[in-house]
Amino acid sequence: MIEDGHLISTNPASGAEAGRVPVADEKAVIAAVERAREAALWWQSLGWDGRKTRLLRWRTLLVERIQELAELAELESGKPVNDGIIEVTAAVEHLDWAAKNAKRVLGPRRMRTRLLLAEHVGHLEYQPYGVVGVIGPWNYPIVTPIGPISGALAAGNAVVFKPSEYTPVVGQWLADTFAEIVPEHPVLQAVHGLGDVGGALCRSGVQKVSFTGSTATGKKVMAACAENLVPVVIEAGGKDALIVDADADVAAAAEAAVWGSMTNAGQTCIGIERVYAVESVYDKFVDAVVEKAGKLRTGQEIGPITMPKQLDIIRDHIEDALAKGGRAVLGGADAVQAPYVSPTVLVDVPAHSSEMREETFGPTLTITKVRDADEAVQKANDSPYGLGGSVFGKKDAIRIARRLRSGMVAVNGTLTFVGMGNLPFGGVGESGFGRIHGEDGLREFARAKAITVRRARSLLPAMTFERTPAQVQQIVKALRLLYGRKP
Ligand code: NDP
């Protein structure tokens, strides 16, 4: 809600005001980007080691104030504090990894030359874009922005960050604490408002945009960025699947399915929404899931639904699944009791129902019986989304993981890939493109720059009008020698 030039966020459990921040207009966004442009030059002048030290100091601040940050996230998003603590833990991992590895991944290196260019040496380095715009969602208001912010800052960019309208105070906290560590220049700023402020950021002159949010908004962001050919990373929605193979540890798979689908009240981009269990373990798996999910309590492990309008979507999906022949083995039609949704497990849900095709973003899970792992993979891949996924099994688990059409897969776990600083994160299809985290996530925020330097006179000059026909023949001879043999 906007009132008197301020964006006000509310606590989803109580409806009380959680905090307020000043709203930016288009002019203010452009001014922030202008300030960031200056700041980026100073930030780059610190060099790899200077930036690393400051980023690691910010990391330590996050660790020292982890409780405060998790409580703030609970106040604004309803996320239970212990879940917030785990979220900060993942964010710290990414910040630490990016800070410590940026120089190795992006720093200058010499490249070997091939025989025909032996008198040259190649240099490769990754230069920062300048100012990166980061647009974030509310469901993980700490780790989703810190992933791209870490990569962008470690690469030498300044960042202007637009948090979700539901979690602006957490976003401001991140910018303020960074400024405590780096008070000299506004290297990380937050700008607040509704979607139009995100749009203004795309058109503000930033040199790269990292967007995390829904697929529909991702398309708008891409269209806005296209106006000035601003490159984008799109981290969008998902409908992730978990496969339970015949040789799986069924109890562990059930525990992971419940955690993966219901943590953060199911409001997780990489949350498990569909399970495909092979028939030999199906009954045992369903029983175990119902037993474990049945113990979760709303208002305790299951927090409130952050966006009130999401409650209707969750209710619609459950009703559509039931109307089309699905059965609720836990929860069901009455699960939605604003602002909470109690755990709901559905079976026999047809593949064309909205519960199977669209992002539900609530603590619901469908379980489908399949003949074998092949059928499980085919059904799991029958989705426009392709973000993460999970496989439980032994003999074939990694082979199955490779066949899933998604950016990440956890074997005998769920969501685990988000906790590893050295692994890339991102989707395929309607889940987006580009990567954050890890080496790919660092390169996402830098331009590859190639430089060749001549070290001596050319023995076989090719790229000059001064070459002679005899020299061209010598080049052909050398070419045949080098590359002419059939493999
Ligand atoms: P939205 O797409 O609604 O919003 C994301 C961000 O974009 C918000 O800051 C929003 O601002 C902003 N925005 C809205 N309209 C525009 C616009 N026209 N131009 C630029 N920016 C705009 O997503 P949610 O916040 O609801 O987040 C939930 C979604 O995010 C789910 O689909 C989830 O799967 C996805 N997600 C993906 C992740 C991933 O890594 N792949 C991780 C976490 C979530 P405002 O809030 O003011 O509207």
Side-chain angles (χ1 to χ4, degrees):
M1 184 175 57
I2 291 185
E3 201 180 274
D4 295 335
H6 283 79
L7 178 62
I8 300 172
S9 63
T10 49
N11 175 268
S14 67
E17 178 176 330
R20 54 179 67 203
V21 290
V23 173
D25 57 12
E26 192 185 339
K27 235 170 91 189
V29 172
I30 291 172
V33 172
E34 283 305 319
R35 285 194 297 277
R37 221 182 295 287
E38 292 290 310
L41 295 177
W42 172 80
W43 183 239
Q44 284 156 25
S45 76
L46 294 179
W48 299 107
D49 294 337
R51 291 196 294 273
K52 175 179 162 184
T53 307
R54 285 161 176 82
L55 289 171
L56 292 180
R57 282 190 198 137
W58 190 36
R59 173 212 61 187
T60 304
L61 180 150
L62 294 182
V63 173
E64 283 168 358
R65 292 167 66 176
I66 191 166
Q67 188 71 21
E68 176 190 336
L69 181 52
E71 283 173 12
L72 197 56
E74 183 188 43
L75 186 69
E76 270 200 318
S77 74
K79 182 192 300 274
V81 169
N82 281 346
D83 285 354
I85 286 175
I86 302 303
E87 185 182 344
V88 182
T89 306
V92 164
E93 170 71 22
H94 294 299
L95 185 51
D96 180 80
W97 194 89
K100 288 180 179 160
N101 288 278
K103 184 178 181 179
R104 175 182 64 79
V105 176
L106 304 176
R109 74 215 57 190
R110 281 161 79 103
M111 306 301 281
R112 281 178 53 196
T113 44
R114 313 298 296 264
L115 191 66
L116 281 177
L117 287 167
E119 70 279 10
H120 294 262
V121 65
H123 293 266
L124 168 63
E125 61 188 64
Y126 294 86
Q127 298 181 341
Y129 279 96
V131 184
V132 172
V134 172
I135 300 173
W138 49 266
N139 63 336
Y140 286 85
I142 303 158
V143 71
T144 54
I146 283 193
I149 286 172
S150 304
L153 292 178
N157 303 281
V159 171
V160 179
F161 168 39
K162 149 75 177 88
S164 162
E165 68 189 86
Y166 294 94
T167 51
V169 178
V170 171
Q172 190 59 50
W173 190 96
L174 295 177
D176 289 347
T177 53
F178 185 82
E180 285 177 29
I181 302 296
V182 182
E184 298 94 333
H185 291 270
V187 174
L188 171 62
Q189 300 170 75
V191 290
H192 300 286
L194 308 182
D196 58 315
V197 174
L201 184 58
C202 296
R203 298 183 174 93
S204 62
V206 290
Q207 282 126 337
K208 174 107 188 185
V209 167
S210 177
F211 168 81
T212 307
S214 63
T215 305
T217 308
K219 291 176 185 177
K220 289 185 198 163
V221 164
M222 212 174 151
C225 287
E227 291 170 20
N228 299 308
L229 229 52
V230 174
V232 284
V233 190
I234 303 284
E235 297 288 347
K239 191 76 192 170
D240 289 359
L242 180 150
I243 291 175
V244 191
D245 203 3
D247 57 357
D249 176 338
V250 174
E255 191 275 318
V258 172
W259 157 258
S261 61
M262 313 229 170
T263 182
N264 204 28
Q267 306 168 108
T268 304
C269 54
I270 46 171
I272 299 299
E273 302 212 9
R274 303 171 290 149
V275 171
Y276 298 99
V278 300
E279 51 196 7
S280 58
V281 294
Y282 174 84
D283 289 336
K284 200 171 152 197
F285 176 77
V286 172
D287 289 348
V289 166
V290 170
E291 198 247 328
K292 287 174 196 298
K295 289 186 185 149
L296 302 177
R297 297 152 300 172
T298 52
Q300 304 278 325
E301 298 86 0
I302 306 284
I305 297 302
T306 309
M307 275 163 62
K309 64 179 185 228
Q310 193 64 27
L311 290 162
D312 291 335
I313 297 173
I314 300 168
R315 189 186 296 106
D316 285 353
H317 284 194
I318 296 173
E319 284 174 358
D320 185 59
L322 297 176
K324 290 192 167 120
R327 284 186 300 121
V329 288
L330 184 71
D334 300 329
V336 179
Q337 303 287 337
Y340 296 99
V341 178
S342 52
T344 291
V345 180
L346 301 159
V347 296
D348 302 334
V349 182
H352 62 280
S353 80
S354 52
E355 177 73 33
M356 295 293 270
R357 300 214 61 82
E358 296 164 23
E359 214 177 18
T360 306
F361 246 49
T364 72
L365 182 68
T366 65
I367 310 176
T368 302
K369 189 192 290 184
V370 288
R371 208 175 42 249
D372 53 23
D374 285 345
E375 188 185 352
V377 170
Q378 180 260 317
K379 288 196 149 85
N381 286 346
D382 179 21
S383 168
Y385 293 112
L387 192 53
S390 178
V391 179
F392 273 78
K394 295 188 181 77
K395 192 164 61 65
D396 294 325
I398 290 187
R399 274 191 291 275
I400 296 168
R402 291 202 174 102
R403 290 168 63 200
L404 283 179
R405 180 183 163 275
S406 69
M408 298 83 58
V409 183
V411 172
N412 295 328
T414 38
L415 325 187
T416 39
F417 38 75
V418 76
M420 287 180 67
N422 55 1
L423 279 182
F425 186 99
V428 302
E430 295 268 303
S431 293
F433 57 85
R435 294 294 180 263
I436 56 172
H437 306 169
E439 295 192 4
D440 300 272
L442 282 170
R443 288 196 197 100
E444 195 71 60
F445 296 104
R447 296 188 183 100
K449 175 89 175 202
I451 300 172
T452 60
V453 179
R454 183 188 293 278
R455 295 185 301 181
R457 276 189 54 229
S458 298
L459 294 175
L460 286 177
M463 293 171 167
T464 166
F465 288 121
E466 289 173 19
R467 70 195 165 208
T468 64
Q471 283 169 330
V472 173
Q473 285 316 306
Q474 276 180 311
I475 288 169
V476 172
K477 225 187 253 176
L479 203 64
R480 287 207 176 107
L481 211 64
L482 276 175
Y483 310 119
R485 227 174 321 129
K486 284 204 178 108

